[in-house]
Amino acid sequence: MPDRTTPSRRSVLAATAVGAAAAALATTPAHAGSADRSTIRARLRQLIAGMSLEEKVGQLFVMRVYGHSATAPDQADIDANLKEIGVRTAAELIERYHVGGIIYFVWAHNTRDPHQIAELSNGIQRAGLAQPTPIPLLISTDQEHGIVARVGKPATLMPGAMALGAGGSRSDAREAARIAGTELAAMGIRQNYAPVADVNVNPANPVIGVRSFGSDPQAVADLVASQVRGYQGAGIAATSKHFPGHGDTVSDSHTSLPTIHHTREEWGVLDAPPFRAAIAAGIRSIMTAHIVVPALDPSEDPATLSRPILTGILREELGYDGVVVTDALDMAGVRQKYGDDRVPVLALKAGCDQLLNPPNLSVAWNAVLQAVRNGELTEQRIEESILRILLLKAELGLFRSPFVSREGVDRTVGKRSHLAAADRIAQETTTLLANPAGLLPLSRRSHRNVLVVGADPASPSGTTGPPTTTLAKAFTELGFTATALSTGITPTAARIEEAVAAAAGKDVVVVGTYNVSATSPQRTLVSRLAATGVPVVTVAIRNPYDVAQLTGFAASLATYSWTDVELRAAVRVIAGRAEPEGRLPVPVQRADDPTQVLYPVGHGLRYQT
């Protein structure tokens, strides 16, 4: 969607001597053979040789920026950019710092709707191609689906990783990624920070959980490889994360520096298989973890800053030569040991290529610049990373075709066949954990009048839910009479009493639960509702471990996320319009004795036919 007042890509490229190399790259074939790849590398080296040191340093950074437009954001976003980055717009950010990539966030107001996203992407590319060395940008986001989604409706929202793990279908996982990748590419987003390759062996993990495919390393590896092939077959770079594996932590690297206590042998068995599978599948980028793994690096530096882990293990032992991107550098896990001026330099020395979202870009950019000038980093070292980054851009066709079109968005994003596939895939993931009285499937003749209560966490993308309303609407569409009452994640005594009163005269109560702990008032809500004599069906809308904390229910299911597609699938299962096909991809331990398994991996009930 470039406008007529913007110079054409070819005229911009021709404006400089180095533009000749970029112009040549724009003619490279979409599927390069070995000879073509050799030519591409030669042209990229020519391009790099003509870049200033400031331009080279800029290519290493992937930065956030506020606003829905690259040149005309809202005033509040201009103010935020000035405060945090010292520029007004994305275009000014690119002009000043020559950044190689931009990351989109909901909270940065980058993702209002598909057409706006596409125009923002085009504006960013116009700014990149207007620089003295015209280079397209690599635009990225975290579109994991499930509980992490930056682009919402009307784009297609797929089940998240653990839901796909419950479905257990490699073809579904690949199809979900293909559809998601096709839609992202249509909006100009060409690097997705997914799939998660962490193996969630710790139920108390506060940051990974249902973002993981499960607790079995080989099952996770199979689904990771399938999604890598799906995303990259759709023309975007997949990113497996978080190396060397964030699945066994009890703290969150956003707020602290977790330690993994696996031995070297345990790491090889538990954590490494999904990353090995991703590399074998041709993964184009891998994201680091801000975690300490003493068995892999006794210095206890976070993995993001660890040369033994990133160069010694990832590059040399696993043989990976693609792009390594840091997890966000504004996270506490990477900032606790070193200052913000040292972190980007140490990350590059460790073996990283892309430096993602530093808290202060000026500090980080100037620190890398100074490290090269004073000899701590050689120019040759940063050129190795720049070559990997530019080669990825070339392989994605960004030099050849950096822009997207409104027509492409209309043809691709949220189209009917994609939405139908999302519903079909979600229907294979809902897990029936318990049905002791045989209440399910629910009959409209005997249980028509439904009360839906429970937690209403905010939509990951800001475009779906709230869960209680979505569940009630889905019941209504299937011929039930349903009422929604939000009781929240921490229901008050008054709210619990309101729910109990609302249950009077109902045929069944459906309770959406969210991360129930031993002290959660959600436990009281369920037990009080069960005491009314009205049968209670619990639906764990995030972690499947909730069931271990609850008593008195007549049936219990897990959906692994609260986006509409998964909630609608759960209602179809409850109502008997679909068979419960999901199987637990993680074990659920007993609440009173965590050493004992209540429901093992693979557990999942079916209806008797």
Side-chain angles (χ1 to χ4, degrees):
M1 287 179 278
D3 58 46
R4 296 186 180 183
T5 62
T6 303
S8 72
R9 178 165 55 90
R10 291 191 180 276
S11 67
V12 171
L13 293 176
T16 64
V18 294
L25 286 163
T27 66
T28 55
H31 301 289
S34 58
D36 291 322
R37 283 194 291 271
S38 178
T39 300
I40 291 169
R41 285 179 177 270
R43 288 171 175 170
L44 289 173
R45 289 191 179 97
Q46 181 184 356
L47 189 65
I48 293 169
M51 294 167 64
S52 69
L53 179 58
E54 290 80 3
E55 288 175 316
K56 292 176 183 178
V57 169
Q59 277 298 307
L60 304 171
F61 285 93
V62 180
M63 190 60 185
R64 70 191 180 278
V65 65
Y66 291 86
H68 70 287
S69 164
T71 56
D74 295 339
Q75 186 61 49
D77 292 322
I78 291 174
D79 294 342
N81 285 327
L82 287 170
K83 180 180 179 180
E84 295 186 16
I85 315 173
V87 298
R88 294 167 51 85
T89 67
E92 288 183 14
L93 166 67
I94 294 162
E95 181 180 10
R96 179 176 299 183
Y97 290 104
H98 319 292
V99 294
I102 298 287
I103 179 172
Y104 287 170
F105 291 106
V106 176
W107 51 261
H109 310 138
N110 304 138
T111 56
R112 288 182 180 177
D113 64 73
H115 286 144
Q116 168 270 314
I117 296 169
E119 180 53 40
L120 173 60
S121 298
N122 283 346
I124 286 169
Q125 299 298 4
R126 286 194 291 269
L129 295 176
Q131 298 308 300
T133 304
I135 298 176
L137 278 84
L138 188 55
I139 298 170
S140 60
T141 198
D142 293 281
Q143 189 77 352
E144 297 173 16
H145 293 269
I147 72 166
V148 177
R150 313 303 192 201
V151 180
K153 293 195 302 183
T156 305
L157 292 170
M158 288 288 176
M162 193 170 285
L164 292 172
S169 169
R170 284 177 285 181
S171 61
D172 281 354
R174 183 169 183 166
E175 179 71 355
R178 185 195 65 78
I179 290 171
T182 300
E183 295 196 5
L184 290 174
M187 294 178 278
I189 300 170
R190 302 300 297 276
Q191 184 179 27
N192 190 21
Y193 298 137
V196 171
D198 304 314
V199 181
N200 200 68
V201 296
N202 190 339
N205 193 322
V207 64
I208 303 302
V210 295
R211 297 168 64 194
S212 164
F213 291 105
S215 63
D216 178 80
Q218 190 54 55
V220 172
D222 290 344
L223 294 174
V224 165
S226 295
Q227 289 229 297
V228 169
R229 294 186 180 102
Y231 280 124
Q232 297 191 168
I236 70 171
T239 308
S240 291
K241 59 186 183 184
H242 309 77
F243 189 83
H246 207 318
D248 193 9
T249 63
V250 293
S251 57
D252 183 345
S253 53
H254 290 87
T255 56
S256 64
L257 178 56
T259 297
I260 301 280
H261 297 288
H262 293 173
T263 66
R264 185 68 161 77
E265 292 73 23
E266 288 171 333
W267 175 81
V269 172
L270 293 174
D271 302 291
F275 292 101
R276 291 185 186 275
I279 293 168
I283 188 75
R284 282 176 162 152
S285 56
I286 290 177
M287 181 179 285
T288 68
H290 304 327
I291 57 172
V292 168
V293 190
L296 304 185
D297 183 356
S299 76
E300 300 196 2
D301 279 343
T304 299
L305 310 181
S306 169
R307 185 170 179 82
I309 291 175
L310 298 186
T311 297
I313 295 176
L314 181 57
R315 295 280 192 210
E316 296 172 358
E317 181 180 324
L318 300 187
Y320 177 67
D321 193 38
V323 170
V324 174
V325 54
T326 71
D327 205 346
L329 297 182
D330 62 346
M331 294 166 60
V334 78
R335 301 176 71 191
Q336 288 193 352
K337 193 171 180 180
Y338 301 100
D340 291 339
D341 59 333
R342 294 300 301 155
V343 165
V345 175
L346 295 174
L348 291 168
K349 293 175 75 172
C352 293
D353 301 307
Q354 289 183 307
L355 304 170
L356 177 62
N357 202 32
N360 187 314
L361 179 58
S362 176
V363 167
W365 189 84
N366 280 294
V368 174
L369 194 65
Q370 186 58 35
V372 177
R373 286 173 172 163
N374 67 23
E376 183 179 5
L377 285 169
T378 66
E379 201 157 348
Q380 180 184 0
R381 165 64 194 93
I382 66 167
E383 287 180 358
E384 291 173 4
S385 287
I386 296 164
L387 181 60
R388 289 192 189 100
I389 293 165
L390 296 187
L391 185 60
L392 176 56
K393 293 180 181 183
E395 289 173 341
L396 293 173
L398 284 169
F399 285 94
R400 184 180 65 255
S401 182
F403 298 115
V404 293
S405 70
R406 190 178 189 91
E407 294 75 21
V409 170
D410 291 338
R411 284 194 308 268
T412 306
V413 179
K415 70 178 185 179
R416 185 176 301 176
S417 62
H418 289 180
L419 298 173
D423 278 330
R424 179 191 62 77
I425 292 169
Q427 196 160 287
E428 305 296 314
T429 68
T430 304
T431 307
L432 179 58
L433 300 173
N435 191 25
L439 175 69
L440 303 185
L442 213 59
S443 168
R444 281 183 299 168
R445 291 188 297 273
S446 57
H447 295 86
R448 177 180 292 271
N449 201 348
V450 181
L451 173 66
V452 179
V453 304
D456 273 336
S459 166
S461 65
T463 62
T464 66
T468 54
T469 301
T470 299
L471 289 165
K473 181 181 178 183
F475 275 114
T476 300
E477 289 173 349
L478 294 181
F480 293 82
T481 301
T483 305
L485 174 64
S486 177
T487 49
I489 294 172
T490 54
T492 63
R495 204 64 168 163
I496 291 172
E497 292 303 324
E498 185 178 353
V500 169
K506 297 296 190 292
D507 298 319
V508 64
V509 180
V510 175
V511 185
T513 65
Y514 182 96
N515 291 6
V516 181
S517 67
T519 58
S520 172
Q522 293 179 74
R523 300 180 71 201
T524 304
L525 173 68
V526 171
S527 61
R528 286 292 309 282
L529 287 167
T532 66
V534 178
V536 173
V537 177
T538 65
V539 180
I541 64 173
R542 183 167 177 167
N543 288 332
Y545 313 113
D546 288 3
V547 64
Q549 299 286 351
L550 303 172
T551 58
F553 52 79
S556 185
L557 303 93
T559 66
Y560 310 98
S561 182
W562 61 96
T563 49
D564 291 4
V565 65
E566 288 153 303
L567 298 178
R568 290 195 305 266
V571 171
R572 291 196 297 275
V573 168
I574 292 170
R577 301 299 180 89
E579 186 75 17
E581 300 284 356
R583 299 291 179 267
L584 276 174
V586 292
V588 175
Q589 283 92 3
R590 292 174 60 97
D592 57 350
D593 183 1
T595 65
Q596 299 297 313
V597 173
L598 179 63
Y599 299 120
V601 171
H603 172 78
L605 304 178
R606 294 201 180 192
Y607 296 141
Q608 299 299 314
T609 57

Short mmCIF file of all heavy atoms in Angstrom, two decimals, residues 159 422-430 565 568-570 572-573 577-582:
data_model
loop_
_atom_site.label_atom_id
_atom_site.label_comp_id
_atom_site.label_asym_id
_atom_site.label_seq_id
_atom_site.Cartn_x
_atom_site.Cartn_y
_atom_site.Cartn_z
N PRO A 159 -5.90 -22.58 18.52
CA PRO A 159 -5.59 -23.10 19.86
C PRO A 159 -4.11 -22.91 20.17
O PRO A 159 -3.26 -22.96 19.27
CB PRO A 159 -5.96 -24.58 19.76
CG PRO A 159 -6.95 -24.66 18.64
CD PRO A 159 -6.53 -23.59 17.67
N ALA A 422 -9.77 -23.56 12.32
CA ALA A 422 -9.52 -23.29 13.74
C ALA A 422 -10.54 -24.00 14.61
O ALA A 422 -10.20 -24.60 15.64
CB ALA A 422 -9.54 -21.79 14.00
N ASP A 423 -11.81 -23.94 14.23
CA ASP A 423 -12.86 -24.63 14.99
C ASP A 423 -12.64 -26.14 14.97
O ASP A 423 -12.80 -26.82 15.99
CB ASP A 423 -14.24 -24.30 14.42
CG ASP A 423 -14.77 -22.96 14.92
OD1 ASP A 423 -14.42 -22.57 16.05
OD2 ASP A 423 -15.54 -22.32 14.19
N ARG A 424 -12.28 -26.67 13.82
CA ARG A 424 -12.07 -28.11 13.71
C ARG A 424 -10.89 -28.56 14.57
O ARG A 424 -10.98 -29.55 15.31
CB ARG A 424 -11.81 -28.51 12.25
CG ARG A 424 -11.56 -30.00 12.07
CD ARG A 424 -11.05 -30.32 10.68
NE ARG A 424 -9.78 -29.69 10.37
CZ ARG A 424 -8.61 -30.13 10.84
NH1 ARG A 424 -8.55 -31.16 11.66
NH2 ARG A 424 -7.49 -29.50 10.50
N ILE A 425 -9.79 -27.82 14.51
CA ILE A 425 -8.61 -28.19 15.29
C ILE A 425 -8.89 -28.08 16.78
O ILE A 425 -8.52 -28.95 17.57
CB ILE A 425 -7.41 -27.31 14.87
CG1 ILE A 425 -6.99 -27.65 13.43
CG2 ILE A 425 -6.24 -27.48 15.83
CD1 ILE A 425 -6.00 -26.67 12.82
N ALA A 426 -9.59 -27.00 17.19
CA ALA A 426 -9.91 -26.82 18.60
C ALA A 426 -10.78 -27.94 19.12
O ALA A 426 -10.65 -28.37 20.28
CB ALA A 426 -10.60 -25.47 18.81
N GLN A 427 -11.65 -28.44 18.28
CA GLN A 427 -12.57 -29.50 18.70
C GLN A 427 -11.83 -30.79 19.07
O GLN A 427 -12.36 -31.60 19.82
CB GLN A 427 -13.57 -29.77 17.58
CG GLN A 427 -14.80 -30.55 18.01
CD GLN A 427 -15.93 -30.36 17.03
OE1 GLN A 427 -16.54 -29.30 16.97
NE2 GLN A 427 -16.17 -31.38 16.24
N GLU A 428 -10.61 -30.95 18.55
CA GLU A 428 -9.82 -32.14 18.85
C GLU A 428 -9.02 -31.98 20.15
O GLU A 428 -8.34 -32.92 20.55
CB GLU A 428 -8.84 -32.42 17.70
CG GLU A 428 -9.49 -32.54 16.34
CD GLU A 428 -10.42 -33.73 16.26
OE1 GLU A 428 -10.03 -34.82 16.69
OE2 GLU A 428 -11.56 -33.56 15.77
N THR A 429 -9.09 -30.83 20.80
CA THR A 429 -8.20 -30.55 21.93
C THR A 429 -8.89 -30.57 23.29
O THR A 429 -8.23 -30.77 24.31
CB THR A 429 -7.53 -29.17 21.76
OG1 THR A 429 -8.51 -28.13 21.87
CG2 THR A 429 -6.84 -29.06 20.40
N THR A 430 -10.20 -30.32 23.34
CA THR A 430 -10.91 -30.27 24.63
C THR A 430 -10.78 -31.60 25.36
O THR A 430 -11.04 -32.67 24.78
CB THR A 430 -12.39 -29.93 24.43
OG1 THR A 430 -12.49 -28.71 23.70
CG2 THR A 430 -13.10 -29.80 25.77
N VAL A 565 -12.25 -19.59 20.33
CA VAL A 565 -12.25 -20.84 19.56
C VAL A 565 -12.20 -22.04 20.50
O VAL A 565 -12.87 -23.06 20.26
CB VAL A 565 -11.09 -20.85 18.54
CG1 VAL A 565 -9.74 -20.85 19.21
CG2 VAL A 565 -11.23 -22.01 17.58
N ARG A 568 -15.68 -22.20 22.58
CA ARG A 568 -16.78 -22.75 21.76
C ARG A 568 -16.65 -24.26 21.60
O ARG A 568 -17.64 -24.99 21.65
CB ARG A 568 -16.80 -22.07 20.38
CG ARG A 568 -17.23 -20.62 20.39
CD ARG A 568 -17.58 -20.16 18.97
NE ARG A 568 -16.50 -20.38 18.04
CZ ARG A 568 -15.59 -19.47 17.72
NH1 ARG A 568 -15.64 -18.27 18.30
NH2 ARG A 568 -14.63 -19.72 16.85
N ALA A 569 -15.42 -24.72 21.43
CA ALA A 569 -15.19 -26.16 21.29
C ALA A 569 -15.60 -26.89 22.57
O ALA A 569 -16.20 -27.97 22.52
CB ALA A 569 -13.73 -26.44 20.96
N ALA A 570 -15.28 -26.31 23.72
CA ALA A 570 -15.65 -26.93 25.00
C ALA A 570 -17.16 -27.05 25.13
O ALA A 570 -17.68 -28.08 25.62
CB ALA A 570 -15.08 -26.12 26.16
N ARG A 572 -19.34 -27.29 22.69
CA ARG A 572 -19.80 -28.35 21.80
C ARG A 572 -19.58 -29.72 22.43
O ARG A 572 -20.42 -30.63 22.29
CB ARG A 572 -19.09 -28.26 20.44
CG ARG A 572 -19.49 -27.05 19.61
CD ARG A 572 -19.08 -27.19 18.17
NE ARG A 572 -17.65 -27.27 17.98
CZ ARG A 572 -16.83 -26.21 17.88
NH1 ARG A 572 -17.33 -24.98 17.97
NH2 ARG A 572 -15.54 -26.37 17.69
N VAL A 573 -18.47 -29.89 23.14
CA VAL A 573 -18.21 -31.16 23.83
C VAL A 573 -19.20 -31.36 24.97
O VAL A 573 -19.80 -32.44 25.12
CB VAL A 573 -16.76 -31.20 24.33
CG1 VAL A 573 -16.56 -32.37 25.30
CG2 VAL A 573 -15.79 -31.31 23.16
N ARG A 577 -22.26 -32.26 21.07
CA ARG A 577 -22.16 -32.03 19.63
C ARG A 577 -20.80 -32.46 19.09
O ARG A 577 -20.60 -32.48 17.88
CB ARG A 577 -22.40 -30.55 19.32
CG ARG A 577 -23.74 -30.04 19.77
CD ARG A 577 -24.90 -30.76 19.10
NE ARG A 577 -26.17 -30.26 19.56
CZ ARG A 577 -26.81 -29.24 19.01
NH1 ARG A 577 -26.28 -28.60 17.97
NH2 ARG A 577 -27.98 -28.84 19.50
N ALA A 578 -19.88 -32.73 20.00
CA ALA A 578 -18.56 -33.22 19.61
C ALA A 578 -18.06 -34.17 20.68
O ALA A 578 -18.40 -34.04 21.87
CB ALA A 578 -17.58 -32.05 19.46
N GLU A 579 -17.26 -35.13 20.26
CA GLU A 579 -16.66 -36.08 21.18
C GLU A 579 -15.45 -35.42 21.86
O GLU A 579 -14.71 -34.68 21.22
CB GLU A 579 -16.20 -37.32 20.40
CG GLU A 579 -15.68 -38.46 21.24
CD GLU A 579 -16.77 -39.24 21.94
OE1 GLU A 579 -17.96 -39.11 21.52
OE2 GLU A 579 -16.47 -39.95 22.89
N PRO A 580 -15.24 -35.66 23.15
CA PRO A 580 -14.02 -35.14 23.79
C PRO A 580 -12.81 -35.93 23.33
O PRO A 580 -12.60 -37.06 23.75
CB PRO A 580 -14.29 -35.33 25.29
CG PRO A 580 -15.29 -36.44 25.37
CD PRO A 580 -16.11 -36.37 24.12
N GLU A 581 -12.01 -35.32 22.48
CA GLU A 581 -10.89 -36.03 21.87
C GLU A 581 -9.56 -35.77 22.57
O GLU A 581 -8.60 -36.52 22.38
CB GLU A 581 -10.75 -35.62 20.40
CG GLU A 581 -11.97 -35.91 19.54
CD GLU A 581 -12.10 -37.38 19.18
OE1 GLU A 581 -11.20 -38.17 19.54
OE2 GLU A 581 -13.12 -37.74 18.55
N GLY A 582 -9.47 -34.69 23.37
CA GLY A 582 -8.19 -34.30 23.94
C GLY A 582 -7.68 -35.27 24.99
O GLY A 582 -8.45 -35.90 25.72
#
